[in-house]
Amino acid sequence: MKNETGRKKIKLSVEGIDCASCVEGLESTLLGLDGIERVNVNLMSSTITVLAADDNSVDPKEIIKRISQAGYTSNVLSGESSTTFSIEGMDCADESSIIEKKLLSVNGILDFRFNLVEQNVIVTHTCETEDIKRAVKSVGFKAEIVDSENDGENTSTSFFVKNRQMILTAASGVLLLAAIFHGYIHKFPDSLTYLLYIPAIVTGGALTARKGWTALKNRSLDMNCLMVIAVTGAAAIGEWQEAAMVVFLFSLANLLETYSMDRARRAIRTLMQIAPNHAAVRRNGAVVDVDVKDIEIGEVVLIKPGEKIPMDGEVVRGNTYINQAPITGESLPVKKEPGDEVFAGTLNERGTVELRVTKLSKDTTLSRIIHMIEEAQSQKAPSQKFVDRFAKYYTPLVILASLLVVSIPPLFFNQPFTPWIYRALVLLVIACPCALVISTPVAIVTALSTAARNGVLIKGGVYLEAMGHLKAIAFDKTGTLTHGVPRVVEIIPVDEKDVKAVLRVAAALESRSEHHLGKAILEKAVELGVSHTEAEEFEAITGKGAKGTVEGELFYIGNHRLFEEMGFCDSARDKQLMELEGKGQTVVLVGNGQAILGLIAIADDVREISREALKKVKEGGIQKTIMLTGDNLWTAQAIAEKLDIDEIKADLLPEDKLDAIKTLLDEYGTVAMVGDGVNDAPALAASTIGIAMGTAGTDAALETADIALMSDDLRKLPYAIKLSRKTLYVIKQNIILSLLIKVVFLIAAVGGIATLWMAVFADMGASLIVIINSLRLIKQNDTSG
């Protein structure tokens, strides 16, 4: 769902709308108001949603007045908002399920998405945020609004509250060791030994019991609830040492898991904190320190060497080199001078510069990247959806199995109850699929943040996984494989015509054109000092060229096809054109109504890194590379040979590129399209994955692309492919390991081999292994340069 950046939604309840004509009348009435961009009338719910240009463009009272004039009664329900809440203590899917059930019952909550790794939930709502906080509190959790200042971290929490899990676990461990030691000295347990085991269980299990009680109140059997049942059962059959050992190991494992998850969160939040919160701004003749939230567009900010850029802007004074790695992933500093664009979060390495702010702090490229990463993290990847479905049925089935284990042998085979009760308790410990549930999201979130840190913005796990399965990639030629800066390399007059005369006519015609090759012709005219007038009666000839009157005479400019249809090309001319195009040059012909006057050869040089990037793309497992271009076949073939591209589709109009992508989808199933994100928007949208290149300063490309390469470095593409495939490999490792451990211990539990503490160690150990294995993706950095 595309973000309605900067816009405001107003939702109203309306009485009396009961037919399609009512809907049409209200829509036309409201669209007549200034500032309203879209109106959606829902006949079934009797509501109207109005999309306004911004917070101040429309007064809700004016909307109500217009609806009243149309004969209806209405009330504002509220403006739709999206708020991120951090949920203290939400560590697993069972706990998020409890909160989910409660949020579903709250009026005014339209949508929500959980992010277990970040311990937060993004809620789209029309109700007050306090209503959401109260709902979360009612099921035993605490919700706090996340803002840019604290990222959801509560800095005012006391030392004990912050470290209570560690303190209680340590106390449990000391008491457990004391009980074991005391029992060893006295050869057998006595009353003091039991008095030590009991507080060991209470201290180690306090947080677990509280969470278990919360789950039970909300009719859910989570891992904490199952653990409490298992420990209580072990104590009931006299296995006090086992019960205390299980509690301590479970608490210790939870502590280690929390530490590991915090490490993952810190790695992700590093990206969020790279831009400074204050800046030196010129105001009223002085330089003052200002919070970035209070800086307005157009103000001038002073940046000294070694300081980070606080805002997006344009250099107005000074020269320097900027390290743009946090945004674009480029390893080398980029020279900046007056007129150049700079981004918040990048580092000024050398000179002192002044920049004019071009975007508010909430709208900077960095802010948009962070917002998109947060959105991407909350979306479930296909493998995660599969795991969630599996987990939904796994836990109830294992609980059922434990009931069968405790009842069938004693009741039908005359077996003693106690050993089978113990085996059933072991099964209960194995029943919660914690490691399996976190096997995918931890890997996905780590990979997304690692990619962003290296200049690749991936919009969600679904695209990350799809990238890992890709077999074919289509590339737009201009600006992707080439520099996208065409230049005139040769002007060939016909029949002894003057070079400047040919260029004068071409420049006159191109001064009215918007074609990208026209800029190269105009630049050549300036270079050679050729003056020209603007063509009159100018008319574009779609897909072929243009015509217009220059100094009273009709002239044409265009491609081979245009002049061939005019009957001006013969075999000799065709051969000449083929020779030029065979060098990778695009030939523009200039003529009048009687003959060709001259040829202009234009080259768009291939990027030096394109061949290296495409080689690595194939080494990364891509079977087919395809080049899409509006250029002629001979020029396309010359470039394809230089880059070792497998297939060419040339002479394509913009709509032809869309058809080409659809054909490739039929052939390969999944296809990525790499382009500039603006001119190729339809083809990018039609492909499985749309990849836009060089998008750091392009808002449109950031919005439309599924994956954005923030710099103009095509080597980021093989890096993205490598990271995606590595992520898929890690996810498979995590899932297989989690399932294997479960199967082994299910068999061992029924066979009486596994003990309670072994089951805890295996279950929580698997969770730790899954997290640590996923964190390896943090080190998957781009080394291409």
Side-chain angles (χ1 to χ4, degrees):
M1 184 177 70
K2 299 297 180 188
N3 184 32
E4 303 284 1
T5 306
R7 295 179 174 88
K8 180 182 180 181
K9 283 184 181 177
I10 303 169
K11 196 168 186 178
L12 307 97
S13 63
V14 183
E15 293 180 15
I17 50 171
D18 51 19
C19 64
S21 60
C22 301
V23 171
E24 290 176 8
L26 278 173
E27 285 179 346
S28 60
T29 297
L30 294 179
L31 285 171
L33 276 173
D34 290 337
I36 290 183
E37 296 188 350
R38 195 163 66 233
V39 176
N40 179 37
V41 182
N42 189 322
L43 191 61
M44 298 302 294
S45 63
S46 297
T47 59
I48 295 179
T49 303
V50 176
L51 183 66
D54 55 56
D55 285 347
N56 302 314
S57 60
V58 171
D59 185 350
K61 292 179 181 178
E62 185 62 30
I63 297 174
I64 293 172
K65 182 180 177 182
R66 285 292 183 99
I67 293 173
S68 177
Q69 289 172 351
Y72 304 97
T73 304
S74 63
N75 290 294
V76 175
L77 294 175
S78 180
E80 183 179 310
S81 303
S82 181
T83 309
T84 302
F85 296 88
S86 67
I87 310 294
E88 185 181 328
M90 184 179 70
D91 299 316
C92 69
D94 287 326
E95 290 166 343
S96 67
S97 295
I98 293 169
I99 299 169
E100 180 179 346
K101 288 177 185 176
K102 188 63 183 179
L103 293 181
L104 286 170
S105 68
V106 178
N107 290 328
I109 291 181
L110 308 178
D111 187 29
F112 51 83
R113 296 184 303 280
F114 287 96
N115 184 340
L116 277 178
V117 177
E118 284 285 344
Q119 283 186 312
N120 66 34
V121 57
I122 302 172
V123 183
T124 305
H125 58 96
T126 56
C127 59
E128 296 296 327
T129 55
E130 289 303 317
D131 295 337
I132 299 169
K133 287 183 179 181
R134 279 193 294 271
V136 173
K137 187 178 180 181
S138 70
V139 291
F141 296 89
K142 184 180 180 182
E144 292 291 344
I145 296 174
V146 174
D147 58 41
S148 57
E149 294 295 320
N150 59 28
D151 288 325
E153 294 179 351
N154 192 344
T155 54
S156 63
T157 308
S158 68
F159 175 81
F160 176 77
V161 173
K162 272 186 178 179
N163 299 280
R164 62 186 171 188
Q165 190 175 16
M166 182 179 66
I167 295 168
L168 292 173
T169 302
S172 177
V174 169
L175 290 166
L176 175 62
L177 285 173
I180 293 172
F181 183 70
H182 184 269
Y184 176 77
I185 291 175
H186 292 273
K187 304 299 180 186
F188 59 89
D190 59 11
S191 57
L192 180 58
T193 306
Y194 292 125
L195 286 174
L196 290 170
Y197 279 135
I198 291 170
I201 292 170
V202 171
T203 53
L207 297 178
T208 302
R210 193 183 75 175
K211 288 186 175 183
W213 175 242
T214 298
L216 205 59
K217 283 195 299 181
N218 291 280
R219 301 172 186 176
S220 174
L221 283 176
D222 71 350
M223 183 65 186
N224 298 290
C225 191
L226 296 175
M227 191 60 62
V228 170
I229 294 170
V231 170
T232 304
I237 60 175
E239 295 287 347
W240 287 95
Q241 182 177 328
E242 191 93 354
M245 180 74 78
V246 165
V247 165
F248 170 69
L249 286 175
F250 184 69
S251 183
L252 179 63
N254 273 326
L255 185 65
L256 292 173
E257 185 177 337
T258 300
Y259 170 78
S260 300
M261 291 294 278
D262 282 344
R263 185 184 167 195
R265 291 177 192 122
R266 283 195 298 272
I268 294 160
R269 286 173 182 162
T270 300
L271 181 70
M272 319 293 184
Q273 298 165 351
I274 62 175
N277 293 324
H278 290 79
V281 182
R282 287 197 181 278
R283 286 183 178 175
N284 302 320
V287 177
V288 293
D289 188 59
V290 180
D291 190 304
V292 293
K293 291 180 180 177
D294 299 325
I295 299 174
E296 298 294 330
I297 292 172
E299 290 199 274
V300 175
V301 177
L302 177 69
I303 314 292
K304 296 178 180 178
E307 292 182 345
K308 286 187 176 180
I309 309 292
M311 307 283 284
D312 281 9
E314 179 185 304
V315 177
V316 292
R317 181 179 297 174
N319 296 275
T320 188
Y321 281 83
I322 301 287
N323 182 345
Q324 298 189 150
I327 300 296
T328 66
E330 294 169 286
S331 58
L332 296 176
V334 179
K335 185 178 181 181
K336 298 290 182 179
E337 51 193 24
D340 288 340
E341 185 178 30
V342 294
F343 307 112
T346 57
L347 178 67
N348 180 25
E349 293 204 341
R350 298 192 186 177
T352 297
V353 292
E354 294 184 11
L355 64 93
R356 181 180 293 108
V357 174
T358 56
K359 292 179 182 177
L360 298 175
S361 62
K362 65 183 178 66
D363 298 323
T364 64
T365 299
L366 178 63
S367 297
R368 292 168 66 82
I369 290 172
I370 291 169
H371 173 73
M372 289 175 182
I373 291 173
E374 289 171 342
E375 289 284 315
Q377 288 176 356
S378 65
Q379 296 171 8
K380 290 188 177 181
S383 58
Q384 188 178 347
K385 291 177 182 177
F386 160 76
V387 166
D388 289 348
R389 285 196 300 269
F390 177 86
K392 182 180 178 181
Y393 298 104
Y394 169 81
T395 301
L397 286 174
V398 176
I399 292 173
L400 177 62
S402 67
L403 292 173
L404 295 175
V405 164
V406 78
S407 57
I408 290 177
L411 295 178
F412 296 97
F413 299 99
N414 201 27
Q415 295 285 314
F417 266 104
T418 301
W420 290 101
I421 290 173
Y422 186 85
R423 294 181 191 187
L425 294 175
V426 175
L427 273 177
L428 283 180
V429 173
I430 300 169
C432 192
C434 293
L436 186 63
V437 169
I438 65 171
S439 61
T440 299
V442 177
I444 292 288
V445 169
T446 305
L448 292 176
S449 59
T450 300
R453 201 173 60 247
N454 285 274
V456 179
L457 179 60
I458 304 174
K459 296 288 189 71
V462 62
Y463 303 116
L464 186 70
E465 288 196 12
M467 194 76 167
H469 294 298
L470 270 182
K471 299 298 180 188
I473 301 181
F475 297 86
D476 179 53
K477 177 181 76 70
T478 304
T480 303
L481 300 174
T482 66
H483 285 287
V485 185
R487 58 188 178 85
V488 175
V489 294
E490 190 175 4
I491 300 173
I492 306 170
V494 175
D495 297 333
E496 299 182 356
K497 295 287 190 302
D498 180 46
V499 168
K500 290 189 175 182
V502 173
L503 186 57
R504 184 176 292 109
V505 172
L509 290 166
E510 291 297 350
S511 64
R512 297 288 303 276
S513 170
E514 295 181 358
H515 198 279
H516 68 283
L517 296 180
K519 185 179 179 182
I521 292 172
L522 292 171
E523 287 176 351
K524 192 66 176 179
V526 172
E527 179 188 330
L528 297 181
V530 175
S531 60
H532 60 87
T533 59
E534 273 196 7
E536 298 177 351
E537 299 177 16
F538 179 84
E539 183 181 337
I541 305 171
T542 305
K544 298 173 187 176
K547 64 180 181 178
T549 303
V550 180
E551 297 177 357
E553 185 178 354
L554 179 63
F555 288 95
Y556 294 85
I557 188 168
N559 56 23
H560 187 187
R561 189 191 310 171
L562 173 63
F563 285 85
E564 193 169 43
E565 290 176 0
M566 292 172 68
F568 293 165
C569 292
D570 53 25
S571 58
R573 185 71 65 215
D574 290 343
K575 183 180 179 182
Q576 182 185 25
L577 290 170
M578 285 176 60
E579 287 175 356
L580 292 169
E581 291 167 352
K583 297 176 185 177
Q585 298 171 358
T586 301
V587 182
V588 175
L589 293 87
V590 182
N592 55 24
Q594 290 78 42
I596 294 173
L597 302 179
L599 285 65
I600 301 176
I602 300 174
D604 182 7
D605 295 332
V606 173
R607 295 177 187 269
E608 294 79 6
I609 58 174
S610 291
R611 183 175 178 83
E612 177 192 347
L614 288 169
K615 182 182 177 184
K616 288 184 177 180
V617 160
K618 289 187 175 181
E619 290 173 354
I622 300 301
Q623 297 174 359
K624 194 88 166 180
T625 53
I626 307 101
M627 182 170 73
L628 307 182
T629 178
D631 222 328
N632 63 80
L633 180 61
W634 298 105
T635 300
Q637 282 182 338
I639 293 173
E641 286 173 9
K642 289 180 183 178
L643 299 176
D644 194 25
I645 290 175
D646 299 320
E647 188 178 332
I648 307 160
K649 294 184 182 293
D651 293 310
L652 299 178
L653 298 173
E655 57 268 26
D656 295 331
K657 290 182 182 180
L658 179 59
D659 293 335
I661 289 294
K662 290 178 179 177
T663 302
L664 290 169
L665 284 168
D666 291 337
E667 187 175 352
Y668 296 103
T670 56
V671 176
M673 169 71 186
V674 186
D676 60 16
V678 181
N679 298 327
D680 302 302
L684 287 176
S687 60
T688 311
I689 308 171
I691 304 172
M693 194 171 85
T695 57
T698 312
D699 291 346
L702 275 176
E703 289 290 348
T704 57
D706 302 318
I707 296 178
L709 310 182
M710 303 304 288
S711 70
D712 269 329
D713 191 344
L714 196 58
R715 290 174 296 183
K716 296 294 178 187
L717 180 61
Y719 164 71
I721 294 169
K722 180 182 177 182
L723 178 64
S724 299
R725 296 195 190 284
K726 181 68 176 178
T727 304
L728 285 181
Y729 181 65
V730 167
I731 288 171
K732 286 176 183 176
Q733 285 180 326
N734 290 348
I735 292 173
I736 290 170
L737 177 69
S738 303
L739 289 174
L740 188 62
I741 288 174
K742 291 295 180 187
V743 170
V744 168
F745 272 84
L746 281 171
I747 296 169
V750 175
I753 301 170
T755 63
L756 272 173
W757 68 267
M758 286 170 60
V760 171
F761 191 79
D763 188 76
M764 300 308 291
S767 296
L768 289 173
I769 292 170
V770 161
I771 295 168
I772 294 167
N773 190 40
S774 299
L775 287 176
R776 291 191 300 127
L777 293 169
I778 292 173
K779 298 179 180 179
Q780 294 295 309
N781 294 317
D782 181 22
T783 57
S784 63

